Amino acid sequence: MYYASIDLIAILILLIENQDIIFKMDKKLKIKTWMLYRRFLLTVLVYYITDTLWGIIEYYKLSKLLFFDTTVYFIAMASALVLWTTCVFYYLKENGRLVRFLIITGRILATIITVITLINIFIPIMFTVDDACVYTGLPIRDALLIAQIILLFIISIYAATAYKRVEDRQDKLKPRYRTVALFGLIMAAFLTIQLWFPYLPVYAVAYLMGTSLVRVFVIGDEVEDYKQDITKQKRTAELSKTVASLIDNMPAITFTKEPETSMYLACNQAFAEYAGKKSPKEVIGLTDADLFDEEMGKRFAKDDRLAMSMGEPYVFVEDIIDNDGNTRQFKTTKLKYTDAFGRVCVLC
């Protein structure tokens, strides 16, 4: 029963470590990479369950049930293989001929394993279980395991060489490549042991080590980055509301925009009405060309350039036609500033 107990521990650790991915559909799971990894974890969970049942059934010598469970075991192994090979390259954002070849090879190998496992139900070509509940792996089973070992090893080598390639470019990518390389090496090494010792749950231990490695060195950092991004977004939203509230409560016509594009970032109700809009929301994102005629647009652009060239507020008096068609004199103040995103803007 020690065989089943190891798998039960692996199941508990998998569920505890990855409960946020398996049970909680956060926004971070809406991208394809996380969806693929979630499916991979669920497939690993199925593998653990079949492996747990294998230990229990073998202990009680139920030969027919052992044969059925072993069939599901190999299909789960094939599913995990194809999901891992696909998930890895989506996560690493790698492409190219070799990547496509490895993904297709993983799918073909998983298909072959599944088909041969199903054929084995009628013709024993992969494994047998006799009446005494003795499991025996046949040569095809060994050949398929060796093929998986080779594929996992190649992916590890690819990740290791890619790690060297991005070493000087992006520090954030380093843990990804390093972890993928170690994961593949662990799986390949333990699968080699499983090849020679089928009654030891070493492949389950390999999955336990590999998924824990991904959790500690990759997912933990990703979740922390995700939380920081959410915090930044909230702060930015609060800042935007504060700025909008400040501008909207100023008694004069007030707005702020990007001088290079003349795109309006915020304004108060007075400016929205002057621009012929019902509310500031209808102004944000528009440009001078969207709101005013060509002559006025050029005039505003000229004033913006002057304000950007000065080290102090640009104050001047100008004649502006109001909404009723009357010419009125305005005292205008324009000054440049840098916003929270690093953009140099103009406030009027």
Side-chain angles (χ1 to χ4, degrees):
M1 293 291 284
Y2 78 93
Y3 190 106
S5 63
I6 292 175
D7 279 290
L8 285 173
I9 293 172
I11 289 173
L12 289 174
I13 293 175
L14 180 75
L15 294 177
I16 292 171
E17 283 188 333
N18 300 284
Q19 53 85 23
D20 56 335
I21 295 178
I22 294 175
F23 299 111
K24 297 178 181 178
M25 294 297 291
D26 293 335
K27 288 183 178 180
K28 65 177 180 291
L29 293 177
K30 298 303 181 181
I31 60 176
K32 189 168 184 178
T33 304
W34 287 108
M35 293 299 291
L36 284 170
Y37 187 69
R38 183 174 184 270
R39 291 174 196 167
F40 170 72
L41 290 177
L42 291 174
T43 305
V44 171
L45 180 61
V46 172
Y47 172 86
Y48 282 156
I49 293 172
T50 59
D51 208 31
T52 303
L53 292 174
W54 200 96
I56 297 172
I57 295 168
E58 195 278 332
Y59 179 81
Y60 287 104
K61 304 302 179 183
L62 304 172
S63 58
K64 290 184 178 179
L65 282 178
L66 189 67
F67 184 90
F68 173 78
D69 186 72
T70 306
T71 300
V72 178
Y73 169 97
F74 279 110
I75 293 175
M77 179 185 285
S79 300
L81 177 68
V82 69
L83 283 170
W84 174 247
T85 53
T86 305
C87 180
V88 161
F89 296 113
Y90 267 104
Y91 184 62
L92 296 180
K93 295 180 173 61
E94 289 284 329
N95 50 41
R97 291 182 181 179
L98 180 57
V99 170
R100 289 193 294 271
F101 171 78
L102 291 173
I103 292 175
I104 293 172
T105 301
R107 292 173 181 173
I108 292 173
L109 182 56
T111 302
I112 292 172
I113 294 172
T114 303
V115 171
I116 291 178
T117 302
L118 294 175
I119 293 174
N120 190 76
I121 297 174
F122 308 99
I123 305 172
I125 58 175
M126 190 172 185
F127 65 88
T128 61
V129 178
D130 61 21
D131 293 335
C133 205
V134 176
Y135 165 82
T136 304
L138 301 178
I140 290 182
R141 172 256 185 191
D142 296 343
L144 292 174
L145 290 182
I146 291 171
Q148 290 184 66
I149 293 169
I150 294 172
L151 180 60
L152 289 167
F153 184 74
I154 292 174
I155 292 175
S156 294
I157 297 299
Y158 179 91
T161 55
Y163 172 84
K164 293 293 184 181
R165 193 171 65 246
V166 302
E167 192 170 6
D168 298 326
R169 288 191 290 128
Q170 297 185 34
D171 289 340
K172 273 195 170 184
L173 291 178
K174 292 181 182 180
R176 298 185 181 187
Y177 288 93
R178 184 173 59 242
T179 303
V180 167
L182 289 174
F183 187 104
L185 288 175
I186 291 171
M187 296 299 292
F190 278 72
L191 191 56
T192 302
I193 300 172
Q194 186 81 65
L195 182 65
W196 298 104
F197 300 97
Y199 278 82
L200 293 177
V202 290
Y203 201 48
V205 175
Y207 270 132
L208 174 60
M209 293 177 62
T211 54
S212 297
L213 194 69
V214 172
R215 180 73 211 189
V216 172
F217 292 103
V218 176
I219 296 178
D221 292 339
E222 292 280 335
V223 171
E224 187 60 31
D225 290 343
Y226 174 76
K227 289 179 180 178
Q228 290 179 3
D229 289 342
I230 293 297
T231 302
K232 288 180 181 178
Q233 290 174 14
K234 288 181 178 179
R235 289 177 179 174
T236 302
E238 290 173 358
L239 179 61
S240 298
K241 289 180 180 178
T242 301
V243 172
S245 178
L246 175 64
I247 290 177
D248 196 46
N249 283 281
M250 293 181 73
I253 291 176
T254 309
F255 64 83
T256 180
K257 65 178 179 177
E258 289 182 341
E260 291 186 3
T261 62
S262 80
M263 183 179 73
Y264 288 87
L265 303 174
C267 71
N268 62 359
Q269 183 64 33
F271 180 80
E273 292 175 358
Y274 171 71
K277 300 296 181 182
K278 294 180 180 179
S279 68
K281 289 183 179 180
E282 295 184 10
V283 176
I284 296 171
L286 299 181
T287 65
D288 289 333
D290 299 320
L291 297 172
F292 307 107
D293 58 38
E294 184 178 356
E295 182 181 351
M296 187 171 289
K298 289 180 178 179
R299 180 174 156 189
F300 284 170
K302 180 182 177 182
D303 293 337
D304 291 343
R305 287 194 297 270
L306 281 172
M308 297 299 291
S309 66
M310 298 175 66
E312 57 185 17
Y314 173 42
V315 183
F316 59 97
V317 177
E318 59 181 332
D319 292 331
I320 293 181
I321 300 175
D322 62 18
N323 293 331
D324 297 325
N326 301 316
T327 300
R328 300 179 60 187
Q329 275 197 333
F330 283 84
K331 181 181 180 181
T332 302
T333 302
K334 288 190 175 185
L335 58 93
K336 65 179 179 180
Y337 72 97
T338 302
D339 69 4
F341 299 101
R343 297 176 298 192
V344 180
C345 307
V346 63
L347 175 66
C348 178

